[in-house]
Amino acid sequence: MDGKPNLRWGVERKLEFIEFRLFWEGYVNRGDIIDTFNVSVNQASTDLNRYLGLAPDNMCYDKSARTYVRTTAFKPLFLKPDASLYLSHVRSLSDGLLGKHEAWIGNIPDFGSITFPARGVLPTVLRTIVIAIRRHEAVEICYQSMSSPEPQWRWIIPHALGFDGFRWHARAFCEQSGQFKDFVLSRISETKQSRQAEDQAAKDTAWHDVIELEIGPHPELSLNQKRVIELDYGMQNGRVVIPVRKALLFYALKRLGLDTDPAARKPQDQQIVLLNKDAIAA
């Protein structure tokens, strides 16, 4: 990535695309650039020649296949390869959240995932919450909480959005309870009026305080099993640190399976343990 030239954003995006295809798929041609960026044949040729001029050792033309292919000397100049980003694009494509051109993946591998019921967040509700966050406004919402048999109207002052791995929340000050709470967006059935309000974000200490979760392999696993878990979680020296907002700690522990006593499950099922449990409890 050193020595990356300073280019216009639109030009650099096309060169990033060329490099993306070379890295992940091993080849790229004019048609790929034409289809993705809706440019002419001449412009696509210009982009390929520009890339060759900047990174001549990264690709060569295969006359039999009539395409440019990645060389063994390939070194990224514009792109920082990211496996997590690639896999997230595969999932987004499969779920219909991204169009093919947006993801840049030419040959999508066969893919399957566990699907969950869609959370019915109303677009108008989300729009109102997002605008209120930006404008520092209070919003009157009709909310169905699990502690009440019927939905209730209440005023909240939202300042952030949160995601627990399954559901989206509005992090907000509740004027009814006088506390900061997480309001599940799919449980807001309607919004009414809004009004200017005092910005409460700075007072939400649980949102701003970050707790570091130190996790490691279950101590009762075998040495080889521990090594596998270390690779799964990107651990170094048998541990990895995960920063979590204090307000999201409950969800994080639940998602990681650390909200119960590790002894309650077999080591092969539990797999990881919380190494700094005392610090978290404090």
Side-chain angles (χ1 to χ4, degrees):
M1 299 294 288
D2 294 334
K4 179 179 175 181
N6 186 17
L7 301 167
R8 297 196 314 273
W9 181 83
V11 173
E12 188 170 327
R13 284 287 286 172
K14 286 183 284 186
L15 298 182
E16 286 178 359
F17 170 80
I18 291 171
E19 205 158 81
F20 180 94
R21 284 293 178 89
L22 287 172
F23 181 85
W24 289 108
E25 304 191 17
Y27 67 92
V28 65
N29 55 47
R30 289 186 305 183
D32 298 329
I33 301 172
I34 293 169
D35 292 342
T36 301
F37 295 96
N38 193 28
V39 297
S40 66
V41 173
N42 288 339
Q43 181 60 59
S45 296
T46 299
D47 293 324
L48 286 167
N49 288 329
R50 179 182 283 115
Y51 185 81
L52 266 175
L54 294 168
D57 297 329
N58 279 2
M59 69 178 185
C60 62
Y61 190 71
D62 185 331
K63 293 182 180 179
S64 60
R66 302 179 66 180
T67 189
Y68 286 93
V69 296
R70 184 184 66 235
T71 67
T72 56
F74 177 88
K75 291 183 179 180
L77 180 62
F78 298 93
L79 180 76
K80 185 177 181 181
D82 188 328
S84 296
L85 181 61
Y86 181 90
L87 292 173
S88 69
H89 279 194
V90 170
R91 181 176 180 180
S92 295
L93 280 166
S94 177
D95 292 344
L97 300 177
L98 276 181
K100 190 174 180 180
H101 297 336
E102 297 172 291
W104 289 4
I105 299 175
N107 296 293
I108 305 169
D110 193 16
F111 171 78
S113 67
I114 301 172
T115 58
F116 297 93
R119 301 290 178 177
V121 179
L122 297 174
T124 51
V125 167
L126 177 59
R127 179 186 63 189
T128 300
I129 296 297
V130 170
I131 291 175
I133 292 173
R134 186 176 73 246
R135 295 179 179 176
H136 307 301
E137 292 179 338
V139 182
E140 191 177 15
I141 65 170
C142 184
Y143 189 74
Q144 177 63 69
S145 68
M146 297 306 293
S147 60
S148 175
E150 300 292 334
Q152 296 180 338
W153 285 95
R154 67 179 72 196
W155 283 91
I156 66 170
I157 308 174
H159 68 81
L161 297 177
F163 184 62
D164 63 12
F166 296 102
R167 302 176 302 183
W168 281 95
H169 305 253
R171 182 68 179 177
F173 179 77
C174 176
E175 294 189 348
Q176 178 176 306
S177 66
Q179 298 177 330
F180 287 98
K181 293 184 176 181
D182 299 321
F183 292 90
V184 181
L185 291 177
S186 57
R187 295 178 185 172
I188 303 176
S189 59
E190 189 179 351
T191 63
K192 276 186 182 178
Q193 54 192 327
S194 61
R195 56 172 167 78
Q196 200 64 36
E198 179 186 353
D199 185 5
Q200 299 286 340
K203 300 177 182 178
D204 190 356
T205 56
W207 179 259
H208 297 291
D209 289 350
V210 175
I211 295 175
E212 292 188 338
L213 302 180
E214 293 184 22
I215 64 172
H218 196 290
E220 295 181 21
L221 292 174
S222 70
L223 183 60
N224 286 332
Q225 289 172 331
K226 288 179 181 178
R227 287 172 180 165
V228 169
I229 298 304
E230 289 175 3
L231 289 172
D232 282 347
Y233 289 87
M235 296 179 184
Q236 297 290 333
N237 299 318
R239 68 180 58 216
V240 67
V241 176
I242 304 175
V244 178
R245 293 181 187 272
K246 190 174 181 179
L248 302 177
L249 179 60
F250 169 80
Y251 309 116
L253 294 176
K254 189 171 184 179
R255 186 77 186 274
L256 291 168
L258 297 171
D259 56 332
T260 57
D261 185 353
R265 304 171 68 194
K266 295 180 179 179
Q268 291 81 1
D269 295 330
Q270 178 64 32
Q271 299 185 356
I272 59 172
V273 295
L274 189 60
L275 300 177
N276 60 336
K277 187 174 182 180
D278 292 340
I280 300 302

